[in-house]
Amino acid sequence: MVVIASLGAGLFILASLFVGGRLLMLAYTTRGTAEFLLGLGLFCMGGIGYPLMAIMTRADGLSDTVRCTLLIVHMCTSTLGMGALAGFTRRVFRPGQAWAGAFLASIILGFVALALLQIVGPGLMAFIEDPKSGPWSSKVYLSFIPMTWAGVESIRYYSMLHKRLELDLADPVVTDRMRLWGISILAADSITVFGVAFNLMGLSITATPIGSILIGALGLVTAGALWLAFMPPQSYLDRVRASRPLGGAGSVKEGA
Amino acid sequence: MADSPIFTAACSRLEEATSFNTLESRGTVRIALKSAGLEAGSVTSEQMTVVLERVMPKELSARGVEDPEGVCASIRSALDHVSTSESSTETPDAIFARLGSRS
């Protein structure tokens, strides 16, 4: 069971690193804000922040200084990653809308506040010894907000693009990419939700067979959907295009 | 989000060409746009043209409008005179098209 969970988590970390890295390279070429924010979000959140948490709390033989340093890096990358994800959602789906700007600011301030409260309150070592207590442990609840926001906005927009497809007003590849991003982020969000639910029942999600299967399956879905959305093989793109006629004059073509 | 000039022009022409009042004409166009997956704030001239060809005639027929095709043609010609400035904000589909590109 541990193998299944590790496989799902490992693929999620790899996909976050590769897809995040690719989007950051794309941002370097295009100077686009959206690809920079999503690349940064995936790279920091799934690629660095998530594995650091596991190393910091579970690895043997690390000194307290190293663990504290890892926790500070984890706090920074989690705050940066979640902030970048929320920034991406705002930039793509709610540009120029004041409420979305305020929402983004409150998410970032929330993460910063939790980190500062942990540092000046019980301290870093208190969290390392018991990751389920202290202010920073509440970051799992806060993470739920930007991830759900991203998922809901992308699925809402996907449903609009799906209707446009019928009128040749959308590109099938772009529509599919929107769907895959929604699936990916909501699957990652579900891991958080299940983790919290298990905690509320007094269980550790990784310590139970059903929890391990859930992490493994959802990690696989997250990684697979991310990969197909942002680094799709040509054969997959051909299959998506073949399943639908190409968009008409009013559609935005893939790669445009 | 403010309504696009295309949406406003289409509603005005529909109101002139039928017995609909302002509220009815705007509501009818909004329903047609929603069923096409479009929004009043961001609809373009090209998109509205497709809606007028493939969605709007059915909506007008359902509301008892005589000659729905003629009314739609009249709205289409009215749109030719609408000047639209290029929006400075990218649409989500334009951004997602770029995110998968290999450049």
Side-chain angles (χ1 to χ4, degrees):
Chain A
M1 292 303 168
V2 174
V3 174
I4 296 171
S6 303
L7 187 70
L11 286 173
F12 168 63
I13 293 165
L14 277 179
S16 299
L17 282 172
F18 277 99
V19 174
R22 198 201 76 83
L23 289 171
L24 285 173
M25 284 195 287
L26 180 69
Y28 182 75
T29 311
T30 62
R31 303 284 166 195
T33 311
E35 42 269 55
F36 174 73
L37 289 171
L38 183 56
L40 187 70
L42 290 173
F43 201 84
C44 286
M45 186 179 60
I48 301 174
Y50 179 67
L52 272 188
M53 177 74 180
I55 293 167
M56 177 187 65
T57 54
R58 291 179 197 165
D60 296 324
L62 296 178
S63 68
D64 288 350
T65 311
V66 172
R67 284 185 202 276
C68 287
T69 308
L70 290 178
L71 177 54
I72 289 170
V73 176
H74 163 76
M75 285 171 162
C76 292
T77 52
S78 296
T79 304
L80 202 60
M82 285 295 173
L85 175 66
F88 170 76
T89 306
R90 189 217 172 200
R91 167 73 183 80
V92 175
F93 299 104
R94 305 285 169 188
Q97 294 191 24
W99 72 263
F103 195 43
L104 166 64
S106 61
I107 288 169
I108 296 169
L109 284 175
F111 274 96
V112 172
L114 289 180
L116 289 177
L117 284 171
Q118 181 71 47
I119 293 166
V120 299
L124 296 172
M125 277 313 294
F127 180 82
I128 291 164
E129 283 159 10
D130 183 10
K132 286 176 188 165
S133 69
W136 186 246
S137 66
S138 301
K139 81 165 175 51
V140 290
Y141 301 104
L142 198 56
S143 304
F144 178 73
I145 298 169
M147 292 170 84
T148 306
W149 187 24
V152 168
E153 292 281 14
S154 51
I155 293 298
R156 182 191 70 87
Y157 206 84
Y158 162 69
S159 75
M160 289 168 65
L161 288 179
H162 186 68
K163 287 177 186 171
R164 291 183 204 179
L165 265 185
E166 302 298 321
L167 299 168
D168 299 339
L169 285 172
D171 182 80
V173 168
V174 175
T175 305
D176 188 62
R177 184 168 300 140
M178 191 70 75
R179 177 182 71 95
L180 288 167
W181 168 240
I183 289 171
S184 174
I185 198 69
L186 287 177
D189 200 13
S190 302
I191 297 174
T192 308
V193 173
F194 282 122
V196 170
F198 273 70
N199 278 345
L200 291 175
M201 290 187 289
L203 300 167
S204 167
I205 189 167
T206 50
T208 58
I210 192 160
S212 297
I213 291 170
L214 276 172
I215 290 178
L218 290 169
L220 197 65
V221 169
T222 304
L226 259 186
W227 198 273
L228 288 176
F230 302 113
M231 296 178 81
Q234 192 58 46
S235 57
Y236 178 76
L237 294 179
D238 292 343
R239 215 178 68 192
V240 172
R241 285 198 185 98
S243 68
R244 289 274 181 182
L246 278 175
S251 68
V252 179
K253 301 288 190 301
E254 199 271 335
Chain B
M1 186 187 284
D3 294 333
S4 81
I6 294 294
F7 170 78
T8 306
C11 295
S12 300
R13 186 71 196 103
L14 179 62
E15 192 179 343
E16 289 165 12
T18 62
S19 59
F20 290 171
N21 61 28
T22 305
L23 205 63
E24 288 167 338
S25 61
R26 290 177 73 86
T28 303
V29 178
R30 274 187 199 281
I31 288 168
L33 289 179
K34 192 176 179 187
S35 68
L38 298 164
E39 290 175 324
S42 58
V43 64
T44 64
S45 179
E46 285 175 331
Q47 290 169 336
M48 185 62 92
T49 301
V50 174
V51 170
L52 289 168
E53 282 170 2
R54 296 176 61 180
V55 182
M56 201 63 168
K58 280 176 269 179
E59 293 293 339
L60 294 181
S61 290
R63 286 161 181 77
V65 172
E66 288 178 17
D67 188 22
E69 305 286 349
V71 171
C72 287
S74 159
I75 299 171
R76 268 203 304 277
S77 60
L79 297 183
D80 293 340
H81 309 294
V82 179
S83 61
T84 53
S85 55
E86 198 67 27
S87 174
S88 58
T89 52
E90 281 182 299
T91 59
D93 39 326
I95 293 171
F96 267 70
R98 203 173 63 230
L99 293 181
S101 67
R102 292 189 160 86
S103 57

